[in-house]
Every structure is written in structure tokens, then in C-alpha cells.
């Protein structure tokens, strides 16, 4: 999702494209600052290991988390939760269509209180889980080509 050119690294340009696809704004300066903050080896790119480190430390804190911003972008009716319908609409906006049943199944796996909607905390768990699932693991790819 973040690695738009599939080179195994996230650049500021990759980050801007992904954030804008989510319907959010991110300036070149903000993207560069984010990359610099996550870039442990100073090469100007975020590797899988660096990304995992940032993701593991991701916390929602008083309105300054991009995951929280994504939550409020998906919560189109403003009720403080994400419904199956809002999840389907969100996916359609990313050109990734899934059925109501698929969205319901995805949501149910993260709906810890069983109310049929995701709270912000549940959304953060879903979002970071999705990021982990869609971010390629270069070590696994290398192992698959070595056989």
C-alpha cells in the first residue's frame, strides 16, 4: 500500500500518494519529516524493518496520529465509529472493492465489544493489522526466490 513502486522501500513520494489516496492531505515537507523520523539508517527511505519499528510504536495521542485522521475520514457520519457501510465506501475510494459480507467479516474480527462498529481503538488495531498484511516482507521474498 505505501510502497507504490514495489522497490521494498517507502519514499516521501510513496507516502504522499498513499495518504492522498486515503482522502487526506500531506505536504512534501510533512512526508519528508515523517521519512526522516523513521529512517534509522539515513538513506532517505523507510525499509521494512524501519516501517515495522514505527508501526509497533504507533499510538493514538490527542489528535496527532495519522491513523486517527484516517479513522475520522472513514467515519463519514461522524458518530465516532466505523460501520460496515463506511468500510465498504472507504475501500471503494481506494479502488479496492469488497462486498458487505467481506467488510462485515473484516470488521467482526476487530470489533472487540461486538457492537457491529469499530471504535477508534479497534480501528487502530485493524489499520495496523492491514498494514502488516499488505507490506511485503523482503526476507520472505528473498527466501522464496532462493529455492
Amino acid at each position: 500500500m505505501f510502497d507504490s513502486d514495489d522497490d521494498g522501500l517507502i519514499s516521501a513520494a510513496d507516502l504522499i500518494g498513499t495518504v492522498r489516496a486515503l482522502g487526506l492531505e500531506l505536504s512534501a515537507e510533512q512526508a519528508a519529516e515523517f521519512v526522516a523520523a523513521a529512517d534509522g539508517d539515513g538513506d532517505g527511505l523507510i525499509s521494512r524493518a524501519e516501517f515495522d519499528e514505527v508501526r509497533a510504536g504507533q499510538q493514538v495521542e490527542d489528535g496527532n496520529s495519522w491513523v486517527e485522521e484516517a479513522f475520522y475520514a472513514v467515519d463519514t457520519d461522524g458518530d465516532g465509529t466505523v460501520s460496515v457501510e463506511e468500510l465498504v465506501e472507504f475501500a471503494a475510494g481506494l479502488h479496492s472493492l469488497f462486498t458487505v459480507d467481506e467488510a462485515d467479516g473484516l470488521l467482526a474480527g476487530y470489533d472487540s465489544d461486538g457492537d457491529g462498529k469499530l471504535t477508534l481503538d479497534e480501528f487502530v488495531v485493524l489499520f495496523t493489522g492491514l498494514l502488516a498484511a499488505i507490506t511485503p516482507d523482503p526476507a520472505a521474498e528473498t527466501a522464496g526466490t532462493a529455492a
Side-chain angles (χ1 to χ4, degrees):
M1 177 177 203
F2 287 100
D3 182 16
S4 60
D5 58 6
D6 293 324
D7 65 355
L9 301 167
I10 300 170
S11 67
D14 290 332
L15 188 60
I16 290 169
T18 300
V19 169
R20 289 186 179 160
L22 293 172
L24 305 170
E25 285 300 315
L26 183 70
S27 71
E29 181 178 297
Q30 290 169 318
E33 287 173 11
F34 180 87
V35 169
D39 179 21
D41 62 9
D43 66 356
L45 301 166
I46 302 172
S47 68
R48 170 65 186 218
E50 292 165 336
F51 182 84
D52 287 346
E53 213 172 293
V54 169
R55 187 171 38 89
Q58 179 64 47
Q59 297 177 5
V60 177
E61 300 172 356
D62 301 326
N64 59 355
S65 165
W66 61 270
V67 177
E68 186 175 6
E69 290 178 31
F71 172 80
Y72 290 114
V74 176
D75 177 24
T76 57
D77 66 7
D79 70 350
T81 63
V82 173
S83 67
V84 169
E85 293 79 16
E86 289 169 323
L87 196 55
V88 169
E89 288 176 29
F90 171 72
L94 294 176
H95 307 292
S96 175
L97 304 176
F98 36 96
T99 67
V100 170
D101 287 342
E102 290 169 329
D104 188 48
L106 179 64
L107 186 140
Y110 294 91
D111 180 18
S112 61
D113 61 9
D115 67 354
K117 295 182 176 186
L118 298 179
T119 63
L120 175 58
D121 290 337
E122 293 165 335
F123 183 83
V124 169
V125 173
L126 164 68
F127 202 82
T128 54
L130 289 175
L131 290 177
I134 61 176
T135 305
D137 183 353
E141 291 174 8
T142 303
T145 57

